[in-house]
């Protein structure tokens, strides 16, 4: 077949044709590795189950060893958080030493942070499905379950709280990559996270940010916004941790597992760019590879691409 050459849209996080073709062509058997920073990729059936196990194990150790534990969490994962809380209750694990941080929250066009009374609030879900499901005698003061507010939204304030209670940074940050390559709401090519170099980018801390076009589209597919592509229901701005919080964490736990029932997924390509493309501020989630951690990739995300550009004949499409 004749190829149709074109340059991808200017607002996409990568334009290097060689890189795009290389990451598309990575086979399942070549996906696992460990880099020089101690970051590894593992392909598993269900990354979310590994997250539940990991979170519970760390909280359990913080109880029996009586050691502080600072954790940063993505939103929304109500099923996972409810399961963790259920195990905490069943095995009588105290969370007295835990400080848990939600990594982001919605904001309106003027930068006002969504209140916890807003039904689609990320902080509301974090505190309701996680903290609220932990038995009262096992959970700490609610202020240990940190969320963004108008009082802590100013540049660097939330990051400073993480570093203060975490002795320089979180013990672990749990995350997943977004469609334009974001981690939390650290989107590419936004004015608020503009930097002249990767080194400067890594110094940027928590702040209010304008969402990338693709981030708004992605969130319109999720349950809090109706799971119907209602982009008008997604707030235009957000407040988020910064790259500094990602790289200052002592360990990173990443999940790539977002798929539809039929197996199709918008995450399959950006997963490969994050894990096998260059580490760059144009794909913010790629900075997880700069330190110790693991990305758990589901078998569904690890499937080969179903397009003629990767060797699949037209008759099989």
């Amino acid at each position: 077949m004749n190829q149709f050459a074109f340059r991808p849209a200017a607002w996409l996080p990568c334009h290097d044709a060689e890189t795009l073709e290389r990451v598309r062509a990575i086979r399942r058997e070549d996906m696992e590795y460990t880099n020089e920073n101690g970051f590894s990729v593992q392909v598993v059936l269900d990354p979310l189950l590994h997250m539940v196990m990991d979170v519970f194990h760390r909280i359990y150790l913080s109880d029996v060893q009586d050691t502080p534990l600072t954790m940063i969490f993505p939103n929304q994962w109500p099923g996972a958080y409810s399961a963790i809380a259920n195990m905490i209750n069943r095995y009588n694990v105290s969370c007295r030493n835990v400080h848990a941080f939600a990594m982001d929250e919605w904001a309106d066009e003027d930068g006002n942070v969504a209140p916890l009374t807003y039904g689609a609030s990320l902080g509301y879900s974090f505190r309701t499905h996680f903290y609220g499901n932990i038995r009262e005698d096992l959970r700490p003061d609610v202020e240990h379950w940190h969320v963004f507010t108008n009082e802590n939204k100013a540049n660097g304030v939330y990051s400073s709280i993480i570093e203060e209670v975490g002795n320089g940074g979180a013990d672990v940050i749990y995350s997943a990559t977004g469609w334009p390559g974001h981690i939390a709401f650290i989107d590419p090519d936004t004015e608020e996270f503009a930097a002249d170099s990767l080194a400067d980018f890594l110094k940027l801390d928590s702040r209010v940010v304008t969402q990338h076009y693709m981030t708004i589209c992605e969130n319109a597919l999720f349950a809090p916004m109706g799971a119907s592509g209602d982009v008008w229901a997604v707030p235009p701005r957000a407040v988020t941790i910064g790259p500094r919080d990602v790289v200052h964490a002592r360990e990173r736990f990443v999940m790539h597992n977002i798929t539809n029932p039929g197996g199709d997924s918008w995450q399959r390509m950006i997963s490969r760019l994050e894990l096998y493309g260059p580490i760059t501020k144009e794909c913010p989630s790629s900075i997880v590879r700069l330190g110790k951690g693991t990305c758990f990739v589901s078998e569904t995300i690890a499937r080969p691409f179903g397009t003629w550009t990767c060797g699949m004949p037209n008759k099989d499409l």
Side-chain angles (χ1 to χ4, degrees):
M1 294 186 73
N2 293 328
Q3 293 299 313
F4 176 55
F6 59 91
R7 182 174 175 80
W11 40 264
L12 291 172
C14 179
H15 295 92
D16 182 70
E18 184 177 344
T19 296
L20 295 173
E21 286 304 309
R22 179 175 58 81
V23 301
R24 285 187 185 116
I26 292 173
R27 300 175 299 175
R28 160 65 180 82
E29 55 267 34
D30 298 324
M31 294 186 73
E32 297 187 329
Y33 69 84
T34 300
N35 72 10
E36 65 278 8
N37 300 318
F39 185 85
S40 64
V41 174
Q42 295 183 31
V43 181
V44 297
L45 285 175
D46 191 340
L48 195 57
L49 298 182
H50 289 258
M51 174 197 172
V52 169
M53 178 175 62
D54 189 85
V55 174
F56 175 75
H57 181 64
R58 290 176 193 267
I59 294 176
Y60 169 78
L61 290 179
S62 78
D63 179 18
V64 298
Q65 296 176 357
D66 197 21
T67 53
L69 176 62
T70 303
M71 317 169 88
I72 301 175
F73 289 95
N75 279 301
Q76 296 181 16
W77 300 94
Y81 294 147
S82 299
I84 296 164
N86 182 57
M87 290 192 294
I88 288 170
N89 296 339
R90 174 172 294 188
Y91 297 106
N92 297 303
V93 177
S94 172
C95 299
R96 67 188 183 281
N97 294 316
V98 178
H99 277 270
F101 287 81
M103 63 169 48
D104 47 27
E105 181 59 277
W106 309 112
D108 68 14
E109 65 277 9
D110 296 317
N112 297 305
V113 179
L116 296 181
T117 53
Y118 172 49
S121 161
L122 303 177
Y124 167 80
S125 177
F126 185 59
R127 281 194 173 171
T128 301
H129 298 121
F130 198 173
Y131 180 85
N133 279 323
I134 298 172
R135 209 169 67 219
E136 191 170 355
D137 60 309
L138 297 176
R139 66 192 187 204
D141 186 275
V142 69
E143 296 305 316
H144 278 225
W145 248 249
H146 303 264
V147 296
F148 277 102
T149 65
N150 280 322
E151 286 67 45
N152 62 28
K153 70 178 182 180
N155 287 9
V157 173
Y158 203 72
S159 294
S160 295
I161 298 171
I162 294 172
E163 292 179 356
E164 180 181 353
V165 302
N167 193 25
D171 291 296
V172 61
I173 177 171
Y174 298 89
S175 69
T177 191
W179 207 344
H182 66 229
I183 178 170
F185 279 120
I186 307 169
D187 277 333
D189 298 325
T190 56
E191 179 182 350
E192 296 88 351
F193 282 117
D196 293 330
S197 66
L198 178 61
D200 289 339
F201 179 72
L202 297 177
K203 297 174 185 177
L204 298 177
D205 46 26
S206 58
R207 62 196 59 211
V208 177
V209 65
T210 304
Q211 293 186 65
H212 191 280
Y213 314 121
M214 293 177 72
T215 296
I216 290 177
C217 293
E218 171 194 333
N219 281 292
L221 300 175
F222 293 144
M225 304 314 178
S228 301
D230 187 355
V231 292
W232 299 270
V234 182
R237 306 188 76 193
V239 61
T240 179
I241 61 170
R244 166 176 139 189
D245 303 302
V246 178
V247 296
H248 281 193
R250 286 176 276 279
E251 192 167 351
R252 282 137 287 276
F253 188 107
V254 187
M255 296 170 287
H256 290 182
N257 62 327
I258 300 176
T259 55
N260 295 323
D264 54 308
S265 174
W266 54 257
Q267 199 179 51
R268 191 170 285 122
M269 180 60 177
I270 198 63
S271 168
R272 283 160 169 77
L273 276 175
E274 174 185 333
L275 299 176
Y276 309 100
I279 298 175
T280 171
K281 57 189 177 66
E282 281 70 39
C283 183
S285 58
S286 65
I287 67 174
V288 297
R289 290 153 53 197
L290 292 172
K292 179 184 177 183
T294 304
C295 180
F296 291 91
V297 179
S298 73
E299 290 283 1
T300 307
I301 292 293
R303 288 179 185 172
F305 283 37
T307 72
W308 60 87
T309 59
C310 293
M312 180 175 284
N314 252 3
K315 65 181 179 63
D316 294 328
L317 296 179

